[in-house]
Amino acid sequence: MNSAEKLEFRQAIYDIVAAIPQGKVSTYGEIARLAGFPRYHRLAAKALQEPSAPDALPCHHVVNSQGRTAPLWPEQRQLLRAENVAFRPNGMVDMTRHRWDPNDLLNEPM
DNA sequence: AGTTTGACTGGAG
DNA sequence: CCTCCAGCCAAAC
């Protein structure tokens, strides 16, 4: 991965995350795959930590594959709750209800 | 140049 | 659900 690809990757990640609708969440592995770098989930996470990430970027819409919120980022839970995202009793996001389907453009506001 | 470190993942125990 | 582990890849040590 050269420097040009890094920029390309980061930009793709930001675009994808920006496209996640309110009340929906995606995973690090998913956005990395959509960005065209299937095994770069860890780098996707790092990209969201980058200070260069846009301020308005709703990175709280990204959780891990199990629906777990970022351990060292307690606010994420509040941000999601503010969007009526349902949490299971175990503290994980109810992925069956809130997983974002990139193909479903309107993603049923119902 | 070798080792450690994550806002990770999927599987095993 | 929990922890532990191998696989993963760039960055930071």
Side-chain angles (χ1 to χ4, degrees), chain A residues 48-83:
Chain A
L48 296 186
Q49 288 182 90
E50 290 283 342
S52 54
D55 287 358
L57 194 69
C59 46
H60 61 280
H61 286 163
V62 185
V63 298
N64 77 7
S65 65
Q66 301 171 43
R68 192 84 195 83
T69 52
L72 301 177
W73 186 28
E75 303 175 344
Q76 179 175 26
R77 186 178 294 261
Q78 295 185 324
L79 290 170
L80 289 174
R81 255 195 342 210
E83 295 180 13

Side-chain angles (χ1 to χ4, degrees), chain A residues 33-106:
Chain A
R33 191 162 42 250
L34 292 174
F37 296 79
R39 295 186 300 293
Y40 283 54
H41 37 81
R42 306 192 85 144
L43 281 303
K46 190 156 298 209
L48 296 186
Q49 288 182 90
E50 290 283 342
S52 54
D55 287 358
L57 194 69
C59 46
H60 61 280
H61 286 163
V62 185
V63 298
N64 77 7
S65 65
Q66 301 171 43
R68 192 84 195 83
T69 52
L72 301 177
W73 186 28
E75 303 175 344
Q76 179 175 26
R77 186 178 294 261
Q78 295 185 324
L79 290 170
L80 289 174
R81 255 195 342 210
E83 295 180 13
N84 291 317
V85 170
F87 284 81
R88 313 180 103 213
N90 50 4
M92 316 242 266
V93 172
D94 186 344
M95 294 302 274
T96 67
R97 249 202 339 190
H98 298 286
R99 181 186 288 283
W100 175 50
D101 178 0
N103 292 330
D104 190 350
L105 281 313
L106 288 187

